[in-house]
Amino acid sequence: MSFIHGLQSAARNCVFFRFSLLTNWRKCHTLAVTSLDYPQVKINRTVNKSQDLGLNQGDRLTFLPENYHFFRTFNSKRTGCFLSASIKEIRMVSQKCTAWNNSFSRQHLRKEIPGVSPLSVSCPLNCLPIRDVRSFHTSPRFQAAPVPLLLMILKPVQKLLAIIVGRGIRKWWQALPPNKKELFKESIRKNKWKLFLGLSSSGLLFVVFYFTHLEVSPVTGRRKLLLLGKEHFRLLSELEYEAWMEEFKNDMLPEKDARYVTVKEVVHHLIECNKDIPGISEINWIIHVVDTPDINAFVLPNGQVFIFTGLLNSVTDIHQLSFLLGHEIAHAVLGHAVEKASLVHLLDFLGLIFLTMIWAICPRDSLALLGQWIQSKLQEFMFDRPYSRTLEAEADKIGLQLAAKACVDVRASSVFWQQMEFADSIHGHPKLPEWLSTHPSHGNRAESLDRLIPQVAFLKMGF
């Protein structure tokens, strides 16, 4: 689950920058063009960074019926136009269209004609009067940060608050005179049924909340907990993507590199052969090959595929590469990232209750710190890591099915993990128990895949 791990570093690097951007992007000016002959249509688009077009983060575009592509940057305030730019090259985050002339019926933008210069269009740019206008908005100027972003920022504050509350309860109890302590205990005994009813009601509400947030996966049929909305989690994916791109900006292989071409062909072949899988065609898959010796690959929920050359050097054939990419694609299609994040948020909420109790019950701060450490380790090794291993095993199974439908030799999957186990033994890497890891051991993965291969062989034959 590289996405969850990298999300923490992404938040540290990008969260405050993006939070500021979310609250201030509405304040910027746009470029509007008006003419007596051409009704005015304003299309504001917030554009992500595009190296090919030279657009900066947060640039706004204004399109006219002639399909001019005007842009204006916030820093230089320069204007220009793009005629040959493809819409697919610009990834849209938001789109807002307003028509200012009631008599104007919306017209389709003229299709772009390759090879025609912008100045050869019937109405040249310099014949239109240009003026700057301030954008009008019906929504408030201040836009609240999405819930997951606030949870990431407030997570350390929540733990600190739980510690302060628990410690305050302990100090309050220690400062009470003995007679008041007895009166308090007696009050609890008299109202024990009310307390029991209140706790039972809270527990019932928690159970109802849990079961009302379960969804069935259309691919596996398994019920899973989803607390975060897709739109909110898409923002976190963008944060993660920008953090990785910033980290690997000097290590990206060009698109003409043979290794990049190979990975791109494998991914597109897997997607083309599995279009019937729910959700796989809805994602825009983009390839990034990073020139680093790390043996790793991951796919973000928004379809950004990152694969390291260290992994490419570790596979022996295209079949092993196809299985590994199918495994990573399965993570994105199954929504494992948002599922794991939902579990983490639920466990953190329950952990705050136990953390408050620990600091309230322990007589000294040193014992409370020890209890807090034990509680965090129990949560990690009893819930977090086992759940991660379960998701990895599920991604192995679905990834094997994706590879089989693409006519890949699925026997190469178990061979790869046997090779990895052998390489670890040669290099003297310590063999840790599986319960200490977030992934199944190499040997167990190979054995599990060997058991699954006869089942997916029918998919390869078309049954």
Side-chain angles (χ1 to χ4, degrees):
M1 300 300 291
S2 301
F3 176 79
I4 297 297
H5 175 72
L7 193 58
Q8 298 175 356
S9 61
R12 286 194 294 268
N13 295 333
C14 300
V15 66
F16 294 107
F17 168 75
R18 294 292 291 163
F19 181 77
S20 175
L21 185 62
L22 285 171
T23 56
N24 292 308
W25 72 276
R26 291 178 175 271
K27 302 177 183 178
C28 303
H29 295 280
T30 61
L31 181 65
V33 182
T34 58
S35 175
L36 295 176
D37 299 330
Y38 294 90
Q40 186 176 28
V41 177
K42 185 179 69 171
I43 304 177
N44 292 336
R45 299 174 184 240
T46 302
V47 187
N48 278 340
K49 182 164 38 179
S50 174
Q51 296 177 355
D52 295 336
L53 299 181
L55 295 178
N56 295 326
Q57 181 71 24
D59 292 352
R60 288 176 176 267
L61 303 182
T62 301
F63 293 171
L64 291 181
E66 289 77 24
N67 202 20
Y68 279 112
H69 296 257
F70 296 98
F71 71 96
R72 181 172 187 173
T73 62
F74 296 157
N75 297 327
S76 61
K77 303 299 181 185
R78 294 178 290 105
T79 59
C81 64
F82 291 103
L83 185 62
S84 61
S86 174
I87 298 301
K88 293 183 179 179
E89 296 177 293
I90 306 177
R91 299 177 52 253
M92 300 304 175
V93 176
S94 63
Q95 176 173 333
K96 178 182 177 182
C97 302
T98 56
W100 293 345
N101 194 333
N102 294 333
S103 63
F104 172 65
S105 61
R106 295 185 178 180
Q107 303 176 359
H108 293 288
L109 298 180
R110 180 186 302 175
K111 295 184 178 179
E112 299 174 5
I113 305 175
V116 181
S117 64
L119 296 179
S120 63
V121 185
S122 58
C123 183
L125 176 64
N126 54 13
C127 73
L128 299 175
I130 301 176
R131 61 185 178 88
D132 288 335
V133 298
R134 186 177 299 274
S135 299
F136 291 92
H137 306 282
T138 58
S139 57
R141 296 175 65 90
F142 179 79
Q143 182 178 1
V147 174
L149 197 60
L150 290 177
L151 292 177
M152 290 169 52
I153 299 173
L154 298 178
K155 186 175 180 179
V157 179
Q158 292 172 347
K159 288 189 175 182
L160 180 61
L161 181 61
I163 293 174
I164 293 175
V165 171
R167 194 171 185 271
I169 293 174
R170 186 217 311 164
K171 294 297 184 181
W172 167 79
W173 178 258
Q174 291 176 348
L176 278 180
N179 59 334
K180 290 189 176 181
K181 289 182 180 180
E182 292 299 327
L183 290 174
F184 185 78
K185 293 178 181 179
E186 183 65 24
S187 176
I188 291 179
R189 284 192 291 267
K190 289 181 179 180
N191 298 282
K192 58 182 179 181
W193 292 112
K194 293 182 180 180
L195 293 175
F196 176 76
L197 181 60
L199 293 176
S200 300
S201 301
S202 301
L204 181 61
L205 289 176
F206 175 79
V207 172
V208 171
F209 174 82
Y210 177 82
F211 282 100
T212 53
H213 285 78
L214 292 179
E215 294 187 12
V216 178
S217 172
V219 180
T220 63
R222 179 177 60 85
R223 302 182 73 184
K224 56 185 180 180
L225 178 68
L226 293 180
L227 300 180
L228 304 178
K230 293 182 179 180
E231 293 299 327
H232 290 160
F233 204 73
R234 189 172 292 113
L235 171 62
L236 299 184
S237 301
E238 292 297 328
L239 290 175
E240 173 74 354
Y241 167 70
E242 291 176 4
W244 284 120
M245 291 300 293
E246 180 65 24
E247 180 176 350
F248 299 135
K249 61 182 179 181
N250 298 324
D251 300 322
M252 292 292 183
L253 292 184
E255 296 185 3
K256 295 182 179 180
D257 191 281
R259 292 166 292 182
Y260 180 93
V261 174
T262 300
V263 174
K264 184 177 180 180
E265 290 178 352
V266 171
V267 172
H268 287 179
H269 180 64
L270 288 170
I271 301 304
E272 187 68 22
C273 295
N274 291 276
K275 284 185 175 181
D276 58 320
I277 302 297
I280 200 169
S281 299
E282 302 172 2
I283 301 177
N284 182 26
W285 304 94
I286 302 176
I287 315 301
H288 306 279
V289 182
V290 185
D291 189 10
T292 178
D294 296 337
I295 304 177
N296 193 19
F298 58 91
V299 178
L300 301 183
N302 57 2
Q304 304 289 340
V305 181
F306 288 83
I307 184 169
F308 299 165
T309 54
L311 180 62
L312 297 179
N313 298 331
S314 300
V315 299
T316 57
D317 53 39
I318 200 69
H319 302 285
Q320 292 184 358
L321 179 61
S322 298
F323 162 72
L324 295 175
L325 289 173
H327 169 91
E328 299 301 334
I329 290 173
H331 275 308
V333 173
L334 296 174
H336 282 170
V338 64
E339 182 180 352
K340 182 64 184 297
S342 299
L343 176 70
V344 169
H345 284 307
L346 179 65
L347 293 177
D348 285 344
F349 172 75
L350 297 177
L352 292 177
I353 299 175
F354 286 105
L355 186 61
T356 304
M357 294 173 59
I358 289 172
W359 278 88
I361 294 174
C362 292
R364 294 192 302 272
D365 290 346
S366 57
L367 293 177
L369 287 173
L370 178 61
Q372 179 181 347
W373 181 81
I374 294 175
Q375 181 253 343
S376 64
K377 292 303 176 183
L378 287 176
Q379 174 181 327
E380 180 180 0
F381 291 107
M382 292 182 64
F383 298 100
D384 291 345
R385 299 199 178 194
Y387 201 78
S388 294
R389 292 194 294 269
T390 300
L391 297 182
E392 290 296 329
E394 186 178 63
D396 275 348
K397 180 179 179 179
I398 302 303
L400 196 66
Q401 295 177 5
L402 298 180
K405 292 181 65 176
C407 296
V408 173
D409 187 354
V410 292
R411 297 172 297 179
S413 58
S414 62
V415 173
F416 172 79
W417 291 115
Q418 293 172 7
Q419 293 174 185
M420 295 297 294
E421 186 178 26
F422 182 70
D424 286 347
S425 62
I426 290 179
H427 292 91
H429 294 163
K431 188 175 182 180
L432 297 177
E434 185 177 285
W435 61 273
L436 291 176
S437 175
T438 58
H439 290 63
S441 63
H442 299 331
N444 288 343
R445 295 182 89 163
E447 293 177 2
S448 176
L449 289 169
D450 282 333
R451 292 191 296 268
L452 292 172
I453 286 174
Q455 303 175 18
V456 302
F458 292 99
L459 295 175
K460 185 176 180 180
M461 291 184 292
F463 292 103

